[in-house]
Amino acid sequence: MNTSALRAALQHAAVAEAPQAPVYSPLRALGRRTLTPFDLVGQSMSTMAPATCMVYTALWMSFGAGVAGLCAIVAATAVMALVALCIRQFTVRLAASGSLYSFVAHGLGKRATLTAGAALLVGYLAVSISVLSNAGADLSAVARSFGLPAIPGVAVCAGIAVVVALVAIRGVRFATRLILVVEVCTIVVILALLVRTPEPLAPDLTMSTAPFGLLAFLAMQTVLNLAGFESAAFFGPEARRPLRTVTRTVLVTPVLVGALYIVAGWAGMTGHAGTLLNAYFGGTASGASPLLVLVVEIGVCSSWIASTLGFAQAGSRLLYSMSLERIIPVALQRVHPRWRTPYAAVTAFAAITFLGTLWHEPGHTPGSYDAVTEVTLLLGYVLVACAALRFLHRIGEHTARTRIVGLAAVPAGGGLLALASVDAVRSGAWTYLTWCAALAISGIVWHAALRRYRPHSLDSIGVFDSVETADLLPGAASLRVDAGGRPVLTRPGR
C-alpha cells in the first residue's frame, strides 16, 4: 500500500474547501447505511412467515401427494433459487428502495417495468391482506383460550393494522430484530413437533379444491410461501455495505427456508406432522392437550403478525420509490424527520391491507385467491430474470454461468405459469385466467396513462441510491449532476 500517497491525500483533504453545491442521493431521506445483516435477515424471514407456511405445507402433503409432491416442492425451491441468482446480478451493482421493480427498469423497457411494479405491489398487498386476516382470526382464538370475551374479527384486524403501522413507522431496526426473534422461536417449536411419532390426522381435516392439479398446486404454493425473500432488497439504501449484505441475504434465505418447507413436506407425507396439524386445525377436540394447542396457536399467530409487519415495511418502500418517481401520488414520499421512515406510505399500505380484510375470509385452506396471488408474484420473478439477462448483455458483463442461470430461470418460471394455466383451463377457473390477462396488460395501460397525463415521470423510473458528496474524500474528486439528473464523478475543480 502506498502510504505516502494516502498521507498526502489526507493532508490535502484537511485543507480542502467544502463544496459549494453538495450532491445528495435521491434516497437519502430514508437514512443511509444503518441496517446490519441481522436486520436484513429478519426482514426477509418475516415476509416468508416460515413457521406458518411449514404448518400448511405439512397439511397439503398429508393428502396423498407422496414423493411426487415432495419433488414439486423441491423443484419450486430450485426455481426460486435461480431467481435469487438473477436478482443477485442487480443487488451487487445497485441499491434501490424499489427492489425488483427498480431492477427491471434497468433491464427491460418502461412497460415491462410498470407491469413488474403492478405485479409486485398487488402481490404484496394480496399476501398482506391474507396474513392480516388470518392473524386476526388466530388472535381471536388465542384470546378465547384465555377466557377473554369474544371480539369481532374486524376490530382485531384493525388493532393489529394500527400496531403494525406504528411499529413500522417507529423504525426498521426495532421491527426486524423483534421479528427475527419471534420467527426463530416459533420455527424451533414447529420443528420439534414435526419430528414426533407419526399420528393419524383428525377425520374432519380436509383441503379445498385448487384451480389446478395437486402437484402444480404444491409448486405454486411453495412459490407463494417463499415470496418476499427478496424484500431485503427494498432496504438496500438503508443497509451497511448494501452490495454485499443484501446480496447474501437474497441468496441464502430462500434456500434455507425452502429446506424447512421440504422437511415439513416430508413430515406431512410420512405422518410425523399429525400432532402439529391436529393441535392447530383440530384444537382440543382432536385430543391434543390444551397447553399444546395454546403454544401452537400463539406461535402461528405471532408468525402471521410478523409477516404483516414485514410486508408493511417492504410495501411502503415500493410505494415510496414509485412516489419519488411521480408515477403515483407524490404525497406518499413523505418521510418521518426523526425515524427516517416513509410514514405516509406505511399508513397507506396498512390502511389498504385492513380494507382488504373486510371481504377476505380467513380459512385454513386456499382457493382462487391464493392462485391469482401466486401468478402475480411469479410473473414479477420471471420479469426480473429476463431483465437480468438483458441487463448483463447491455453492460457487457455476461459470463457462461450467468447465461446458464438466466436461461434456466426464465423457462422454469414461465413453464410453471403455463402449467398452472393449462390446469386452470381444464378445471374452468376463468377468474384465474381473467386475472392473468389483466395483469399482463397492466403495464401497457399504466404506461399509456402516464404518457398522457404525466409524461416526465416515465424518464425518472428506476431511481437507485448513488454516491453523495459526503462519501468522497474532500479534494480528491467532486460530483456534479448531469442533464439527466444523475450524479457524475469529476476531477477536483471541475
Side-chain angles (χ1 to χ4, degrees), residues 29-83:
L30 294 176
R32 305 168 74 233
R33 313 295 188 259
T34 59
L35 301 183
T36 66
F38 189 82
D39 301 319
L40 295 178
V41 171
Q43 170 61 37
S44 187
M45 292 283 282
S46 69
T47 47
M48 289 185 285
T52 298
C53 293
M54 289 168 68
V55 175
Y56 284 94
T57 299
L59 173 68
W60 301 322
M61 283 295 295
S62 299
F63 289 94
V67 176
L70 193 62
C71 291
I73 296 173
V74 173
T77 301
V79 170
M80 296 298 275
L82 289 173
V83 172

Side-chain angles (χ1 to χ4, degrees), residues 48 77-78 80-82 84-85 226 229 249-262:
M48 289 185 285
T77 301
M80 296 298 275
L82 289 173
L85 289 171
L226 289 171
F229 76 90
T249 304
V250 167
L251 290 177
V252 171
T253 49
V255 176
L256 176 62
V257 176
L260 293 176
Y261 295 158
I262 293 170

Side-chain angles (χ1 to χ4, degrees), residues 163-437:
V163 171
V164 162
L166 292 176
V167 173
I169 293 172
R170 172 61 180 81
V172 178
R173 298 183 69 179
F174 169 75
T176 53
R177 295 179 183 188
L178 176 64
I179 286 169
L180 189 56
V181 171
V182 169
E183 284 291 348
V184 169
C185 292
T186 307
I187 289 171
V188 170
V189 173
I190 298 300
L191 282 175
L193 293 174
L194 287 176
V195 296
R196 291 174 62 89
T197 304
E199 179 180 323
L201 292 180
D204 58 341
L205 283 185
T206 59
M207 189 179 87
S208 65
T209 303
F212 26 75
L214 183 57
L215 296 184
F217 166 77
L218 285 169
M220 293 292 281
Q221 282 294 140
T222 302
V223 171
L224 179 60
N225 292 344
L226 289 171
F229 76 90
E230 77 288 345
S231 66
F234 285 101
F235 298 86
E238 302 170 63
R240 300 175 188 172
R241 296 183 297 173
L243 305 186
R244 176 181 298 180
T245 55
V246 171
T247 299
R248 288 177 177 174
T249 304
V250 167
L251 290 177
V252 171
T253 49
V255 176
L256 176 62
V257 176
L260 293 176
Y261 295 158
I262 293 170
V263 171
W266 166 84
M269 179 181 68
T270 57
H272 286 81
T275 301
L276 171 65
L277 298 179
N278 289 337
Y280 181 63
F281 295 107
T284 55
S286 67
S289 69
L291 179 60
L292 177 61
V293 171
L294 183 61
V295 168
V296 172
E297 285 183 345
I298 290 175
V300 174
C301 182
S302 299
S303 187
W304 284 129
I305 296 174
S307 184
T308 305
L309 177 56
F311 276 106
Q313 294 191 132
S316 64
R317 266 65 182 177
L318 177 59
L319 290 174
Y320 173 81
S321 185
M322 289 179 168
S323 178
L324 203 63
E325 298 166 356
R326 303 178 69 83
I327 66 172
I328 61 174
V330 296
L332 295 179
Q333 66 179 265
R334 293 173 182 167
V335 174
H336 196 283
R338 178 181 176 186
W339 294 317
R340 312 294 288 273
T341 52
Y343 70 91
V346 169
T347 303
F349 193 92
I352 296 172
T353 298
F354 168 69
L355 292 176
T357 63
L358 298 179
W359 57 266
H360 180 273
E361 184 68 29
H364 300 308
T365 50
S368 296
Y369 182 89
D370 279 358
V372 296
T373 304
E374 291 154 9
V375 72
T376 300
L377 292 167
L378 188 55
L379 177 61
Y381 294 140
V382 172
L383 284 173
V384 80
C386 293
L389 282 171
R390 291 285 302 276
F391 176 67
L392 292 179
H393 175 74
R394 179 168 58 83
I395 65 177
E397 294 186 11
H398 255 311
T399 64
R401 189 181 72 172
T402 59
R403 284 193 176 92
I404 290 172
V405 169
L407 292 174
V410 173
L416 186 55
L417 277 174
L419 175 63
S421 298
V422 169
D423 274 354
V425 170
R426 193 175 300 153
S427 62
W430 300 113
T431 301
Y432 171 85
L433 297 173
T434 302
W435 175 255
C436 293

